[in-house]
Amino acid sequence: MYMTEAEICRDYRLTADTHKPEQIEILADMNLCRRSQIAGILERHGESIIQKRAMPTRAEIDRRKELRLTMYRQGMTDSEISAALGESYRTTYYWRRGHGLPPNKRRTKNG
């Protein structure tokens, strides 16, 4: 190990949450050790380890496409669809555009 456990924890703590899974790998490379050793150090010092998201299965991808299409057909806007699925607006927007679908109009309170 080239870094102390305190330095490893500090570097991990200062990393943005979205990059923490990669930071464990970087710290392991920097210290010429395994990721499991870095994870062990972090856990010993009370750091919560953020794991990489698992890649969705083909079935999950297909299910989300069907849900998007169903919601689109119900008249939901891109914003409403993305919020319902917990995904970014851009994901929904590019999915709709890729399928040649026009945007749904925002519904008004009266109709």
Side-chain angles (χ1 to χ4, degrees):
M1 292 272 182
Y2 294 105
M3 298 170 73
T4 66
E5 290 189 2
E7 289 171 325
I8 289 170
C9 292
R10 187 196 72 230
D11 280 5
Y12 184 76
R13 210 174 299 119
L14 293 174
T15 303
D17 283 350
T18 54
H19 297 293
K20 286 193 185 223
E22 293 86 8
Q23 185 65 15
I24 291 175
E25 194 164 331
I26 291 167
L27 287 167
D29 288 345
M30 288 172 57
N31 288 283
L32 301 175
C33 64
R34 294 184 175 160
R35 290 184 355 230
S36 60
Q37 289 175 289
I38 297 296
I41 290 169
L42 295 170
E43 288 173 348
R44 252 196 325 276
H45 290 276
E47 297 294 331
S48 58
I49 306 297
I50 298 176
Q51 302 292 332
K52 287 185 179 180
R53 279 191 339 192
M55 292 298 292
T57 62
R58 171 53 56 197
E60 175 65 15
I61 292 169
D62 292 343
R63 186 183 72 78
R64 291 179 77 78
K65 285 180 182 178
E66 286 300 317
L67 282 172
R68 256 190 231 109
L69 186 57
T70 299
M71 289 184 229
Y72 175 82
R73 287 179 177 156
Q74 290 172 350
M76 292 174 73
T77 64
D78 292 351
S79 295
E80 292 168 333
I81 293 169
S82 61
L85 293 175
E87 62 190 18
S88 74
Y89 170 83
R90 292 175 64 131
T91 299
T92 305
Y93 171 80
Y94 286 115
W95 167 83
R96 180 184 49 73
R97 285 214 25 220
H99 286 80
L101 301 169
N104 286 327
K105 301 288 184 213
R106 196 174 284 149
R107 294 178 291 239
T108 62
K109 292 182 181 180
N110 296 334

